[in-house]
Amino acid sequence: MSFGRATSVHSSDGRTWTGAIEPDWDIFENANGGYMMAIAARAMSGAADDRLPVSVTAHFTRPGKAGPVSIATEVVRAGRTFSTVRADLSSEAGVVLAMLGTFAEAGRSPGDTLLVDSEIPDVPPPDDCVPALPAVDGPLPPPLMGKVEERIHPDDAGALLGKPTGRPRMRGWIRLRDGEAMTPFVLLLVADAFPPAIFNTFLPLAWTPTLEMTTHIRATQVEGWLRCQFTTRFISGGYLEEDGEIWDESGRLVAQSRQIALIPR
Amino acid sequence: MSFGRATSVHSSDGRTWTGAIEPDWDIFENANGGYMMAIAARAMSGAADDRLPVSVTAHFTRPGKAGPVSIATEVVRAGRTFSTVRADLSSEAGVVLAMLGTFAEAGRSPGDTLLVDSEIPDVPPPDDCVPALPAVDGPLPPPLMGKVEERIHPDDAGALLGKPTGRPRMRGWIRLRDGEAMTPFVLLLVADAFPPAIFNTFLPLAWTPTLEMTTHIRATQVEGWLRCQFTTRFISGGYLEEDGEIWDESGRLVAQSRQIALIPR
C-alpha cells in the first residue's frame, strides 16, 4: 500500500476524521511516529482548507497499533496566510498522539535561499550506500524499511551490522518505493524513518520512546532522492534529542526535525 | 516585578487559570514569546499536579499585549511519570498562543550525562562580555533587558552596536536580576531572551514573527549564570529557524530550543 493511501483520511464534517494505522509501518510492533504524524497532519490540513504544513509538533501518549483511528481537529485560528490547528489522533485505546501545527496557504511562494551557514551533509551517491531492507526474521531492520527505499552512508551503517561506530550519527538517502509522487507530508515520515542515530552508540538497540517531535517543512513540493542527516549530541538528564536535516537533490534544505526521547534501557 | 510574580497564575478549578502579561517584558511593544510561554507553562504544570516541563511547544497566533490573560488547560493524558497537557493563552483579543507540553514527575531523577558529542559554547567570563541594557529611548535593546541581566559575547555584540558581524550567532550569559531564584520555567524565557541571531546579518532589525517555538528542559533546578548560544543556519524557503543551547555554570546542558519564524522585512 502506497504512502498516499496509508495516510488517507476522510471526514463528513471537516472536523472529525477517520483513517487507519496500516500494518507494516512499524518498529518493534509500534507504528512509526512520523507515519502517524503524517496521518494526523493530513486531517489537520483538511480542516484548514488544504493549507500545507510548516511546523508540526506531536506529543506521543501511547504506542500506536495497526487498526482504525479517528482524528479530532480544531482550527485555533485561521489567518490570511497561516492556520494554527490542533488534533488528537486516537485509537480504541485512547489518544495516541496530541498534535499542534501551523499550516500555510498552498500558493505561498516558497521564497529564495538567502543565507545558509551550514554544509550540505556529505553522503556518497545512493548506489554507493548500504540499502536498509526489512529483516526476514527478527525486529530489525523494521518492516517500515519495506515501505521506503533507504540507503545508509557506509560510514554510519555499523549500527545495521552490529558494529556501532560510537558516534551518534546517521546519514543517507530515502525515497518512496515504486516512484510514488511525494507530497510535503512525506517529510514527516522521512524525519523519523532512519535508524536512530544512537544505534551507533553503546546504548541497547531497543525501543526509544519519543516524547515529542517537531518537524519544520520549507518545501511545498519534493521529488527525487532525499539526502538526510540525523545526529544526537546530548544523552543526558534522562533524555536524548535527535536533530534531522532533509535536503533535496538540488541542494535545498526541505525540512528540519528535532525529537526528544527517553534513553532506551 | 520579579519573574516569579510576573508569571504567576491562579485557578479555582485547576483547569482555567488567570494571570497577566505584565508591562516591560516586551520587544517592539509585543510581549516576549518565551515570557508568555512561561506563564502558560506554569498553568499547565498546575493542571498536571505540579509536574515540571520537559518539552513545551507554542504556536503563536497573535501578538501579546500587556493586560490580563486566561489560560485554558486540558490534561490529554496523565501517566505514571509524564503528563501531556495542552493550553490556550488568551487575551481580550482572542488566543495569543496555543501550547502543547509534556511534564514529568518532579521527583524524577535528572539522570547522568552519558554522552556529549558537542562543544560547550566558548564565551568569555560575564565581566568580559558586553552588557545588554534597555534603550533609554527607542525600541532596541528592548525593555525586557531591564528584567534580566544579560551579557553578550564581544564577538557577537556587533548587532547591538549597529555593526552586524555577518554571522547569525549570538552567545552570552544571562540570569535573573537581584539574585532571584530560578525555576525551570525561567528556561522558557531564557531561550527567547537574547537578540535574534539574525540581527548579526544583513536583515533589517525588525519584528521577527515567530510561528512556533519548542524548548526541551533537562534540569529540575537551575542556578547561577546561564551560558547560552543561539544560531540560525538557514534563512530560506520563506522561513528561518533559531536553535538555542543553554548550559549552567557546571558545564551541564540544561535546555535546548528551536523556533521557526518569518523572515523580517
Side-chain angles (χ1 to χ4, degrees), chain B residues 3 25 126-127 132 144-152 172-182 186-187 189-190 193-194 222-228 246-247 249:
Chain B
F3 174 79
W25 295 80
D127 285 350
L144 173 64
M145 291 304 108
K147 299 298 185 184
V148 292
E149 243 183 308
E150 191 167 300
R151 309 285 175 87
I152 310 282
W173 301 93
I174 193 170
R175 65 181 178 189
L176 291 177
R177 288 199 176 273
D178 308 318
E180 183 185 349
M182 296 194 287
V186 84
L187 296 168
L189 168 68
V190 166
F194 276 73
V222 266
E223 54 187 351
W225 281 107
L226 298 173
R227 179 196 294 259
C228 301
I246 306 171
W247 301 68
E249 287 181 5

Side-chain angles (χ1 to χ4, degrees), chain B residues 29-55:
Chain B
E29 297 185 3
N30 295 327
N32 175 271
Y35 164 59
M36 294 192 292
M37 286 174 72
I39 298 172
R42 286 190 63 182
M44 295 160 87
S45 170
D49 295 328
D50 296 323
R51 290 183 165 187
L52 294 173
V54 175
S55 175

Side-chain angles (χ1 to χ4, degrees), chain A residues 7-229:
Chain A
T7 57
S8 64
V9 291
H10 303 279
S11 176
S12 54
D13 63 5
R15 291 175 57 94
T16 304
W17 302 72
T18 54
I21 295 175
E22 299 292 345
D24 296 338
W25 295 80
D26 65 311
I27 169 167
F28 294 119
E29 297 186 2
N30 295 327
N32 176 271
Y35 164 59
M36 293 192 293
M37 286 174 73
I39 297 172
R42 287 190 62 182
M44 295 161 86
S45 170
D49 296 327
D50 296 324
R51 289 182 165 188
L52 293 174
V54 174
S55 174
V56 176
T57 292
H59 287 248
F60 296 89
T61 49
R62 275 189 183 82
K65 306 292 181 185
V69 294
S70 67
I71 306 106
T73 63
E74 184 193 354
V75 177
V76 178
R77 186 168 193 217
R80 198 160 43 88
T81 312
F82 297 101
S83 295
T84 305
V85 186
R86 78 170 123 243
D88 282 340
L89 183 147
S90 302
S91 70
E92 234 179 38
V95 176
V96 173
L97 57 168
M99 305 259 294
L100 194 54
T102 296
F103 292 73
E105 197 55 38
R108 181 178 156 82
S109 158
D112 295 333
T113 296
L114 301 179
L115 183 147
V116 173
D117 188 15
S118 188
E119 303 285 319
I120 296 185
D122 178 26
V123 192
D127 286 349
D128 297 337
C129 288
V130 180
L133 297 168
V136 175
D137 61 319
L140 294 175
L144 173 64
M145 291 303 109
K147 299 298 184 183
V148 292
E149 240 183 311
E150 191 168 300
R151 309 285 175 86
I152 311 282
H153 191 308
D155 291 353
D156 300 338
L160 301 182
L161 310 167
K163 291 182 184 163
T165 64
R167 181 134 195 236
R169 189 162 68 163
M170 196 64 68
R171 293 163 296 178
W173 302 93
I174 193 170
R175 65 182 178 189
L176 291 177
R177 289 200 176 271
D178 307 320
E180 182 185 350
M182 296 195 286
T183 64
F185 296 96
V186 84
L187 296 169
L188 297 170
L189 168 68
V190 166
D192 198 34
F194 276 74
I198 54 154
F199 278 15
N200 267 324
T201 68
F202 51 86
L203 292 170
L205 299 196
W207 174 247
T208 307
T210 296
L211 297 176
E212 177 266 337
M213 177 162 195
T214 296
T215 301
H216 297 170
I217 295 177
R218 300 202 192 193
T220 51
Q221 288 190 310
V222 265
E223 55 187 351
W225 280 106
L226 297 172
R227 178 195 296 257
C228 301
Q229 170 171 281

Side-chain angles (χ1 to χ4, degrees), chain A residues 55 59 61 77 86 88 102 110 114-115 117-118 167 212 216 218 233-235 237-239 241 245 258, chain B residues 55 59 61 77 86 88 102 110 114-115 117-118 167 212 216 218 233-235 237-239 241 245:
Chain A
S55 174
H59 287 248
T61 49
R77 186 168 193 217
R86 78 170 123 243
D88 282 340
T102 296
L114 301 179
L115 183 147
D117 188 15
S118 188
R167 181 134 195 236
E212 177 266 337
H216 297 170
R218 300 202 192 193
R233 294 185 301 137
F234 304 102
I235 307 177
Y239 307 101
E241 93 293 352
E245 289 174 19
R258 174 173 286 170
Chain B
S55 175
H59 287 248
T61 49
R77 185 169 195 216
R86 77 170 123 243
D88 282 340
T102 296
L114 301 180
L115 183 147
D117 188 14
S118 188
R167 183 140 193 230
E212 177 265 337
H216 297 168
R218 300 201 192 195
R233 295 186 300 138
F234 304 102
I235 307 176
Y239 307 101
E241 92 293 351
E245 289 175 19

Side-chain angles (χ1 to χ4, degrees), chain B residues 183-227:
Chain B
T183 63
F185 297 96
V186 84
L187 296 168
L188 297 170
L189 168 68
V190 166
D192 198 33
F194 276 73
I198 55 153
F199 278 15
N200 267 324
T201 68
F202 51 87
L203 292 170
L205 300 197
W207 174 247
T208 308
T210 297
L211 297 176
E212 177 265 337
M213 177 162 194
T214 296
T215 301
H216 297 168
I217 295 177
R218 300 201 192 195
T220 52
Q221 288 190 309
V222 266
E223 54 187 351
W225 281 107
L226 298 173
R227 179 196 294 259

Side-chain angles (χ1 to χ4, degrees), chain B residues 31-113:
Chain B
N32 175 271
Y35 164 59
M36 294 192 292
M37 286 174 72
I39 298 172
R42 286 190 63 182
M44 295 160 87
S45 170
D49 295 328
D50 296 323
R51 290 183 165 187
L52 294 173
V54 175
S55 175
V56 176
T57 292
H59 287 248
F60 296 89
T61 49
R62 272 187 186 82
K65 306 293 180 186
V69 294
S70 67
I71 306 105
T73 62
E74 185 193 353
V75 177
V76 179
R77 185 169 195 216
R80 197 160 43 90
T81 311
F82 296 100
S83 294
T84 305
V85 186
R86 77 170 123 243
D88 282 340
L89 183 146
S90 302
S91 70
E92 234 179 39
V95 177
V96 173
L97 56 167
M99 305 259 296
L100 194 55
T102 296
F103 292 73
E105 197 56 36
R108 180 178 157 81
S109 158
D112 295 331
T113 296

